[in-house]
């Protein structure tokens, strides 16, 4: 019976290796159609969920409060920043259009998955990247932490902009992400590292000063957001395991720098260092650190998505790919079977049937 209730998640996961077999490098029209089809169906899968995720009722209550023009504790600027002004505006538009909370969820899913798709599409092994992201980002984050899923999805897309040295576009995207989840603003300083590599010291100085001013303005609200996770009694018993899941690819990147190109090291080395540093505070404040650690998920997708195509490992590409698919499947099985909050995801229900 439990396997039946998990079936929708396994269906969406198992099509990934099947599509990989059909077109491993997305070089054919058929492969590109499969990619787009998987994107669209995943957005519908996430956006049309019904009472899936432990925060479902909180989001539904917020939408109803906006629809009925009730206060819902949003009488201060801090409360608006905490909920995310763009997310609140999206709820207001959906209420006016009569789209319900499902329109909100569909738009949020489209933003999150589009960012992930852009990021994975640029990897040498896009199907591997998608598979690595599926158990936790797609299943848990996108269906459970709606606002933060948008922020992380925009970060995925922003990393591609940063790779192309589009610093201002990255900054704009991260600021937009911050209007969904204010903690995303902590990602702004990342744009300094490519500029340092290019020795653009004037721009670095300006951005550094701007970052300090922004930090002074927003830090109290970010701290308040993180404190809210602890005050609400939320638990993250898997935080250490998830931290180690990110720390291992971080170590690969730091210990074997010659395996990676210099551009990758410039961008990813700071994130890898952070991934190792958070292993200490996660012991004392697991929930808050775990939620911040979600922004390190792209590191997992990047390292594992590139690993089978590294020159040294290319002869074993097929075997490594299958191993990574198996690893990702194991992560999904462990979370669905033993996850403390997995009960909020099982069974999967859709608004097409239950609403």
């Amino acid at each position: 019976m439990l396997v039946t209730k998990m079936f929708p998640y396994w269906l969406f996961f198992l099509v990934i290796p099947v599509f990989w077999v059909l077109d491993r490098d997305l070089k054919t029209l058929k492969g590109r159609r499969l990619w787009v089809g998987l994107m669209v169906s995943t957005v519908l899968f996430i956006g049309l969920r019904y009472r899936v995720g432990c925060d479902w009722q909180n989001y539904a209550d917020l939408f109803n409060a906006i629809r009925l023009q009730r206060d819902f504790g949003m009488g201060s600027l801090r409360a608006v920043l905490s909920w995310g002004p763009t997310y609140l505006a999206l709820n207001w538009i959906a209420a006016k259009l009569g789209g319900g909370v499902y329109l909100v969820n569909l738009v949020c899913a489209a933003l999150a998955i589009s960012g992930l798709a852009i990021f994975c599409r640029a990897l040498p092994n896009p199907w591997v990247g998608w598979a690595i992201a599926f158990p936790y980002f797609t299943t848990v984050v996108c269906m459970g932490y709606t606002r933060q899923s948008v922020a992380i999805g925009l970060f995925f897309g922003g990393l591609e902009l940063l790779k192309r040295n589009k610093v201002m576009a990255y900054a704009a995207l991260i600021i937009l992400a911050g209007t969904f989840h204010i903690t995303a603003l902590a990602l702004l300083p990342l744009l300094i590292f490519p500029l340092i590599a290019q020795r653009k010291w004037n721009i670095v100085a300006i951005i550094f000063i701007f970052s300090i001013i922004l930090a002074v303005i927003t830090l109290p609200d970010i701290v308040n957001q993180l404190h809210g996770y602890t005050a609400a009694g939320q638990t993250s018993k898997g935080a250490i395991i998830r931290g180690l899941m990110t720390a291992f690819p971080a170590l690969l990147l730091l210990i074997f720098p010659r395996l990676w190109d210099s551009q990758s090291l410039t961008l990813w080395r700071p994130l890898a260092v952070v991934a190792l540093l958070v292993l200490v505070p996660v012991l004392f404040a697991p929930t808050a650190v775990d939620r911040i650690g979600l922004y390190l998920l792209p590191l997992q997708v990047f390292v594992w998505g590139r690993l089978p195509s590294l020159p040294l490992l290319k002869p074993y590409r097929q075997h490594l790919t299958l191993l990574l698919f198996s690893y990702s499947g194991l992560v999904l099985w462990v979370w669905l079977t033993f996850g403390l909050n997995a009960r909020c995801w099982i069974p999967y229900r859709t608004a097409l049937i239950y609403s």
Side-chain angles (χ1 to χ4, degrees):
M1 181 63 70
L2 184 60
V3 174
T4 303
K5 292 178 179 180
M6 295 179 183
F7 177 74
Y9 300 106
W10 283 111
L11 176 64
F12 269 80
F13 176 76
L14 291 174
V15 297
I16 302 172
V18 172
F19 287 178
W20 170 74
V21 170
L22 295 174
D23 187 345
R24 299 186 180 186
D25 299 309
L26 290 177
K27 291 182 178 179
T28 66
L29 178 60
K30 177 181 69 175
R32 290 191 289 272
R33 285 176 175 172
L34 291 173
W35 184 259
V36 173
L38 184 59
M39 280 179 56
V40 173
S41 58
T42 302
V43 168
L44 295 175
F45 183 60
I46 296 168
L48 294 178
R49 69 192 185 278
Y50 174 74
R51 295 192 174 278
V52 174
C54 293
D55 288 341
W56 169 271
Q57 194 58 51
N58 290 336
Y59 287 124
D61 289 344
L62 171 68
F63 175 82
N64 287 325
I66 292 174
R67 180 175 62 86
L68 299 172
Q69 299 183 357
R70 294 174 180 168
D71 180 67
F72 203 70
M74 290 183 289
S76 66
L77 177 61
R78 172 163 290 186
V80 171
L81 290 174
S82 180
W83 274 108
T86 302
Y87 182 74
L88 293 174
L90 180 58
N91 275 264
W92 182 82
I93 293 170
K96 290 296 181 182
L97 295 176
V101 71
Y102 303 107
L103 178 57
V104 177
N105 288 341
L106 280 168
V107 173
C108 289
L111 290 170
I113 294 302
S114 294
L116 173 66
I118 290 169
F119 184 86
C120 290
R121 189 68 182 84
L123 293 172
N125 305 282
W127 297 114
V128 173
W130 192 277
I132 293 297
F134 185 82
Y136 208 74
F137 177 68
T138 304
T139 301
V140 180
V141 178
C142 288
M143 293 194 186
Y145 319 141
T146 306
R147 295 183 301 114
Q148 195 173 10
S149 74
V150 177
I152 297 171
L154 293 176
F155 181 45
F156 268 113
L159 285 166
E160 277 305 299
L161 292 173
L162 208 54
K163 188 177 75 173
R164 300 170 192 171
N165 293 318
K166 296 183 178 181
V167 174
M168 298 311 296
Y170 170 82
L173 205 59
I174 295 305
I175 291 172
L176 175 61
T179 65
F180 279 89
H181 205 278
I182 196 169
T183 57
L185 296 178
L187 302 167
L188 274 176
L190 187 63
L191 57 78
I192 291 178
F193 294 96
L195 292 172
I196 291 176
Q198 299 170 39
R199 301 180 184 277
K200 295 183 178 180
W201 302 112
N202 291 338
I203 301 176
V204 169
I206 293 171
I207 292 175
F208 182 71
I209 294 171
F210 173 77
S211 298
I212 291 176
I213 294 171
L214 189 65
V216 171
I217 295 172
T218 61
L219 188 59
D221 296 295
I222 293 176
V223 171
N224 183 61
Q225 179 88 52
L226 297 175
H227 176 70
Y229 297 135
T230 304
Q234 297 183 32
T235 57
S236 296
K237 290 189 176 180
I240 296 176
I241 295 174
R242 286 188 287 275
L244 291 172
M245 287 171 61
T246 304
F248 188 63
L251 281 172
L252 283 179
L253 192 129
L254 293 173
I255 294 176
F256 304 105
R258 293 184 180 180
L259 293 177
W260 317 89
D261 59 87
S262 58
Q263 185 185 41
S264 295
L265 288 173
T266 299
L267 184 57
W268 292 100
R269 186 180 279 155
L271 288 175
V273 171
V274 172
L276 297 178
L277 291 177
V278 298
L279 288 177
V280 176
V282 77
L283 298 172
F284 307 101
T287 302
V289 176
D290 191 34
R291 292 299 288 265
I292 285 293
L294 293 176
Y295 291 111
L296 297 172
L297 286 172
L299 182 62
Q300 294 185 36
V301 179
F302 171 78
V303 172
W304 299 135
R306 279 188 173 271
L307 194 69
S309 295
L310 293 176
L312 186 66
L313 301 173
K314 215 163 187 178
Y316 313 101
R317 181 180 180 183
Q318 182 171 325
H319 296 89
L320 281 172
T321 299
L322 292 173
L323 184 63
L324 288 167
F325 282 146
S326 300
Y327 161 73
S328 190
L330 178 63
V331 172
L332 179 63
W333 176 77
V334 169
W335 190 84
L336 288 174
T337 306
F338 302 107
L340 182 65
N341 296 316
R343 68 187 189 284
C344 299
W345 275 255
I346 302 172
Y348 173 83
R349 290 172 291 187
T350 174
L352 298 175
I353 298 174
Y354 291 95
S355 178

